[in-house]
Amino acid sequence: MTNVSYFSSRLKQFRTTMGVSRLKFAEILDSAESTIYSYETSKRTPNVEFLQKLIDNYDVDISYFFKNTREHHLEGDIVHLKQVIKYLENKLKQK
């Protein structure tokens, strides 16, 4: 799996795990829904601005989206679960 296709797979997995539609995800990241689709299907590679928005909005370690090692899968999954918990806690606070 190439870095681009790995990124695409992890981005979609991240978004769906967060329970966010492609449209809402695009709004949060100040992008077009078609851009998110293009990233998730490996039709485009993300630019630096998009990656920065991803980091800023979700407080995510960007290497989670690019590294493809067994050790990093476990580490990345733990990081991802922590991010999901943080996201859900923030959503509960907003209610």
Side-chain angles (χ1 to χ4, degrees):
M1 186 179 287
T2 66
N3 277 342
V4 173
S5 61
Y6 187 75
F7 172 82
S8 299
S9 172
R10 291 296 260 190
L11 182 67
K12 184 173 183 178
Q13 179 185 22
F14 179 78
R15 178 183 61 76
T16 57
T17 300
M18 298 298 270
V20 179
S21 70
R22 193 176 288 128
L23 178 60
K24 183 65 176 171
F25 196 57
E27 289 171 358
I28 291 167
L29 298 173
D30 194 28
S31 296
E33 183 179 9
S34 60
T35 300
I36 302 300
Y37 174 80
S38 295
Y39 292 158
E40 289 182 350
T41 57
S42 302
K43 295 185 186 322
R44 290 180 57 190
T45 56
N47 58 31
V48 173
E49 292 81 16
F50 176 82
L51 296 175
Q52 188 61 55
K53 288 176 187 176
L54 190 58
I55 293 166
D56 292 345
N57 284 281
Y58 288 100
D59 192 31
V60 63
D61 177 358
I62 204 66
S63 65
Y64 168 80
F65 295 96
F66 289 101
K67 290 190 179 176
N68 189 11
T69 65
R70 184 177 185 160
E71 180 180 307
H72 194 274
H73 280 292
L74 295 175
E75 180 183 307
D77 289 343
I78 291 168
V79 168
H80 183 70
L81 288 172
K82 288 179 181 178
Q83 292 163 348
V84 170
I85 291 167
K86 183 177 178 180
Y87 175 80
L88 292 173
E89 286 172 344
N90 288 337
K91 283 294 188 185
L92 287 173
K93 287 179 186 176
Q94 292 175 0
K95 290 186 175 186

